[in-house]
Amino acid sequence: MESEFAIRVGHLSKNYKIFEKPIDRLKESLNPFGRRYSRDFHALDDITFDVKAGETVGIMGKNGAGKSTLLKLITGVLTPTSGTLEVHGSVASLLELGAGFNPEMTGIENIYLNGTIMGRSRAEMDARLDDIVGFADIGDFVRQPVKTYSSGMFARLAFAVNAFVEPDILIVDEALSVGDNFFQVKCMRKMRDLMEGGTSVLFVSHDINAIRRFCTKAIWLEQGKLRAIGETNRVADAYENTLQDSVETLDAEKAKAAQPEERNLRKIAAEIEHVALEAMDGQPLPEEIAFDEPFRVTVTYDVKNPAIERPVLGIAIRSFNEDYVCGLNTLLDERAIPWQKGRNTVHLAYPTGMRVPNGKYYFDVALFEETATIPFHYMTKAVSIRMKPCYKGEGMAILPHEWQF
């Protein structure tokens, strides 16, 4: 009988000895009295959780929290110091793309080699070969030695092989960093197909919104300890709240990583041309409005590749001190935006106003691929508005309400 669980982790710990000087390692190993010249570093400290078969679990935490260590323990790259670890089914890992590839062998030969490592027969790999080669899309290089590949070609083939062996468990650590932007879109689409097909997934990303979209459960690691586990939005909210006063905020980290690549992608996909705040009748909006005054955001954009499927438009509101007030996108609202080649326009109306206290607010606007993860063009602080001083309530938002007696 198959196990109900894909992964079971019980009181798992991974410790390292830290030596101040190289000679201290030799001193400790030779000391007859057991004197220590090292100190312990707990990369993971007493971690316990389960992943059910077919479940998608996001793992979040700052750099150094223990995320990669945990994944390497699950894949068998590292051995635990203590605790128990059970893994049921075949595992494909996108931790270090191409681990296990032989640089002297051709791409085709490495496809079959990795299939064998994953427990797939020659006949099974024969049936998958065309899909893998087509997805990687590296042309005749697939019949050349891997040592001749560029890093991008290597990443393409590695992802294709890992994805198309149809593993029971897929482990992904920042998969969006591989290859060019259009290949990243393909990766996200394939990952989603695997998730919907019943593959158990452990997904690590600094993009918490991607974890919210893809995962049903989330794990938050902090300094090697399990800080929280449970429903994705609840854990993500708690995690993001701790980042409010941090210099290294999540959005800053994501924007810094994506900015150069985004400029390349907008040249061949789409570019936001103009963003404006307007009254509901299309007239210009004054610089200052009341908290309950209706208005709309008008976004004009130029489409350069009309073949892109299910593009997404997102609009986020932030306060002057970078508090995230509200983020909306057409994926969550299940709306399709116009995507004809050339000039297109979309309006987002707020019929009851913003309902926020007085102060200045900024609007970020972005065009994304179908998962709303990879931006074609992201405009930070595209437009701004100021709410008139009006003491109608306190807190982050002034909700429509009615007193009843």
Side-chain angles (χ1 to χ4, degrees):
M1 180 178 178
E2 294 185 0
S3 173
E4 174 189 358
F5 296 97
I7 301 171
R8 305 204 75 175
V9 174
H11 303 289
L12 191 67
S13 295
K14 179 62 179 178
N15 303 332
Y16 294 96
K17 288 184 176 181
I18 305 298
F19 295 90
E20 296 295 333
K21 296 176 290 185
I23 191 62
D24 289 345
R25 186 183 299 273
L26 179 63
K27 289 180 179 179
E28 184 168 305
S29 64
L30 298 179
N31 193 287
F33 304 106
R35 179 181 174 183
R36 293 199 60 177
Y37 291 84
S38 64
R39 57 183 175 84
D40 289 330
F41 170 71
H42 303 283
L44 282 179
D45 188 5
D46 195 25
I47 302 295
T48 298
F49 67 89
D50 295 326
V51 177
K52 293 183 178 179
E55 193 171 35
T56 302
V57 179
I59 302 178
M60 60 188 71
K62 293 181 180 180
N63 292 333
K67 304 185 299 296
S68 294
T69 299
L70 174 61
L71 300 190
K72 288 178 180 179
L73 287 169
I74 293 173
T75 55
V77 175
L78 298 175
T79 56
T81 303
S82 61
T84 60
L85 174 61
E86 301 175 20
V87 178
H88 302 280
S90 59
V91 180
S93 167
L94 299 177
L95 301 176
E96 298 173 1
L97 290 176
F101 273 45
N102 186 328
E104 302 296 329
M105 297 170 64
T106 67
I108 295 290
E109 291 169 335
N110 271 290
I111 290 173
Y112 282 98
L113 172 63
N114 276 263
T116 301
I117 294 173
M118 290 291 299
R120 303 296 185 228
S121 67
R122 176 84 184 191
E124 287 177 310
M125 294 309 297
D126 286 340
R128 292 171 169 82
L129 182 61
D130 288 344
D131 289 334
I132 294 172
V133 172
F135 190 93
D137 192 22
I138 59 174
D140 292 337
F141 278 95
V142 75
R143 303 188 183 279
Q144 301 301 317
V146 168
K147 66 182 181 182
T148 65
Y149 289 9
S150 67
S151 58
M153 293 163 55
F154 191 84
R156 285 172 170 266
L157 185 62
F159 187 98
V161 172
N162 280 277
F164 280 89
V165 293
E166 298 178 2
D168 298 309
I169 303 168
L170 177 65
I171 297 179
V172 184
D173 189 356
E174 294 294 351
L176 298 183
S177 63
V178 304
D180 58 69
N181 295 88
F182 275 119
F183 186 68
Q184 292 172 18
V185 174
K186 289 172 63 176
C187 291
M188 294 305 300
R189 185 180 297 128
K190 182 59 181 177
M191 282 175 52
R192 187 181 60 189
D193 291 344
L194 289 170
M195 294 172 185
E196 293 174 351
T199 297
S200 303
V201 178
L202 284 182
F203 180 48
V204 171
S205 178
H206 285 296
D207 184 352
I208 302 305
N209 287 328
I211 291 180
R212 290 182 191 270
R213 283 189 290 273
F214 286 115
C215 304
T216 55
K217 185 167 76 175
I219 293 172
W220 171 13
L221 295 179
E222 185 173 85
Q223 296 182 342
K225 295 182 179 292
L226 183 63
R227 177 74 179 268
I229 182 170
E231 192 272 327
T232 302
N233 288 319
R234 181 179 64 80
V235 176
D237 288 345
Y239 173 61
E240 289 186 313
N241 285 340
T242 67
L243 300 177
Q244 292 297 321
D245 298 326
S246 174
V247 175
E248 186 185 5
T249 65
L250 209 61
D251 287 330
E253 186 173 344
K254 179 186 172 184
K256 182 178 179 181
Q259 188 175 5
E261 297 168 349
E262 177 210 314
R263 283 197 295 268
N264 294 332
L265 189 57
R266 81 172 74 155
K267 293 179 182 178
I268 53 178
E271 184 170 11
I272 299 170
E273 176 64 25
H274 183 65
V275 180
L277 299 179
E278 301 173 341
M280 296 296 279
D281 60 2
Q283 296 300 310
L285 203 66
E287 293 183 1
E288 192 174 64
I289 64 173
F291 80 102
D292 58 353
E293 183 175 339
F295 71 97
R296 70 185 188 183
V297 182
T298 297
V299 182
T300 304
Y301 53 95
D302 291 333
V303 173
K304 302 174 184 179
N305 183 357
I308 291 173
E309 298 180 3
R310 297 181 293 276
V312 176
L313 175 64
I315 297 177
I317 303 174
R318 299 181 185 275
S319 68
F320 72 96
N321 59 359
E322 296 298 325
D323 287 335
Y324 195 13
V325 177
C326 178
L328 303 173
N329 67 58
T330 54
L331 173 65
L332 297 176
D333 285 334
E334 299 181 347
R335 298 296 301 273
I337 63 174
W339 200 255
Q340 289 78 37
K341 187 175 180 63
R343 185 65 51 89
N344 296 262
T345 299
V346 171
H347 307 283
L348 174 62
Y350 299 85
T352 61
M354 276 176 49
R355 298 280 173 173
V356 292
N358 64 291
K360 191 172 185 178
Y361 295 86
Y362 299 97
F363 291 77
D364 293 352
V365 180
L367 288 168
F368 297 95
E369 43 68 59
E370 64 189 70
T371 66
T373 303
I374 302 169
F376 296 143
H377 189 184
Y378 197 113
M379 292 184 68
T380 303
K381 297 183 177 179
V383 288
S384 64
I385 192 67
R386 182 177 294 278
M387 296 292 109
K388 292 179 179 178
C390 182
Y391 190 56
K392 291 287 187 178
E394 299 174 340
M396 286 288 294
I398 303 170
L399 302 180
H401 57 278
E402 177 183 320
W403 296 103
Q404 296 179 345
F405 302 98

